[in-house]
Amino acid sequence: NTRGTGLLLGLVHEHAAALKKHLFDDGILVGGSNNPNVLRLMPPLNLSSGAISAFIESVQRFQSRPNPL
Protein backbone atom coordinates (compact mmCIF):
# COMPACT_ATOMS: atom_id res chain seq x y z
CA ASN A 1 0.00 0.00 0.00
CA THR A 2 1.34 3.46 -0.83
CA ARG A 3 0.39 6.95 0.27
CA GLY A 4 1.31 10.38 -1.04
CA THR A 5 1.66 12.19 -4.34
CA GLY A 6 4.44 12.76 -6.82
CA LEU A 7 7.76 11.31 -5.71
CA LEU A 8 7.08 11.73 -1.97
CA LEU A 9 5.53 8.43 -0.99
CA GLY A 10 4.81 6.38 2.10
CA LEU A 11 5.15 2.62 1.76
CA VAL A 12 3.00 0.75 4.28
CA HIS A 13 4.49 -2.57 5.42
CA GLU A 14 3.86 -4.54 8.59
CA HIS A 15 7.62 -5.12 9.03
CA ALA A 16 8.73 -1.61 8.05
CA ALA A 17 11.66 -1.45 10.49
CA ALA A 18 13.13 -4.74 9.25
CA LEU A 19 12.56 -3.70 5.63
CA LYS A 20 14.27 -0.36 6.28
CA LYS A 21 17.33 -2.19 7.67
CA HIS A 22 17.34 -4.60 4.72
CA LEU A 23 17.19 -1.71 2.24
CA PHE A 24 19.98 0.10 4.10
CA ASP A 25 22.14 -3.04 3.96
CA ASP A 26 21.54 -3.02 0.18
CA GLY A 27 22.65 0.63 -0.02
CA ILE A 28 19.16 2.09 -0.39
CA LEU A 29 18.21 4.94 1.95
CA VAL A 30 14.60 5.42 3.03
CA GLY A 31 13.11 7.48 5.82
CA GLY A 32 11.02 6.53 8.79
CA SER A 33 7.67 7.91 9.83
CA ASN A 34 5.67 8.62 12.97
CA ASN A 35 3.72 5.52 11.99
CA PRO A 36 6.03 2.53 12.63
CA ASN A 37 4.49 0.66 9.67
CA VAL A 38 5.32 3.35 7.09
CA LEU A 39 8.58 3.96 5.21
CA ARG A 40 9.05 7.36 3.60
CA LEU A 41 10.36 7.29 0.04
CA MET A 42 11.94 10.58 -1.03
CA PRO A 43 13.87 9.91 -4.24
CA PRO A 44 15.73 12.66 -6.10
CA LEU A 45 14.13 14.22 -9.16
CA ASN A 46 16.79 12.62 -11.38
CA LEU A 47 15.83 9.10 -10.24
CA SER A 48 17.14 6.51 -12.70
CA SER A 49 15.34 3.41 -13.88
CA GLY A 50 18.28 1.41 -12.49
CA ALA A 51 17.68 2.80 -9.00
CA ILE A 52 13.99 1.95 -9.26
CA SER A 53 14.85 -1.60 -10.34
CA ALA A 54 17.34 -1.97 -7.47
CA PHE A 55 14.68 -0.84 -4.97
CA ILE A 56 12.05 -3.23 -6.35
CA GLU A 57 14.48 -6.16 -6.43
CA SER A 58 15.57 -5.49 -2.85
CA VAL A 59 11.96 -5.36 -1.62
CA GLN A 60 11.18 -8.58 -3.52
CA ARG A 61 14.18 -10.33 -1.92
CA PHE A 62 12.95 -9.17 1.50
CA GLN A 63 9.43 -10.40 0.78
CA SER A 64 10.65 -13.80 -0.43
CA ARG A 65 12.52 -14.56 2.80
CA PRO A 66 10.76 -17.24 4.87
CA ASN A 67 10.79 -15.03 7.97
CA PRO A 68 11.30 -11.33 7.16
CA LEU A 69 12.38 -10.57 10.72
Side-chain angles (χ1 to χ4, degrees), residues 5-57:
T5 58
L7 290 179
L8 301 177
L9 300 172
L11 177 65
V12 180
H13 194 282
E14 88 176 292
H15 302 293
L19 176 56
K20 182 178 178 183
K21 182 184 179 324
H22 173 82
L23 290 168
F24 181 80
D25 291 345
D26 279 355
I28 300 169
L29 300 177
V30 296
S33 170
N34 288 338
N35 182 334
N37 294 328
V38 175
L39 294 179
R40 291 169 58 188
L41 307 179
M42 302 167 284
L45 292 176
N46 62 346
L47 181 64
S48 69
S49 59
I52 294 169
S53 295
F55 174 80
I56 292 170
E57 290 169 8

Side-chain angles (χ1 to χ4, degrees), residues 13-23 58-69:
H13 194 282
E14 88 176 292
H15 302 293
L19 176 56
K20 182 178 178 183
K21 182 184 179 324
H22 173 82
L23 290 168
S58 183
V59 171
Q60 288 174 336
R61 278 193 309 277
F62 179 81
Q63 291 287 94
S64 68
R65 293 170 20 174
N67 181 0
L69 301 176

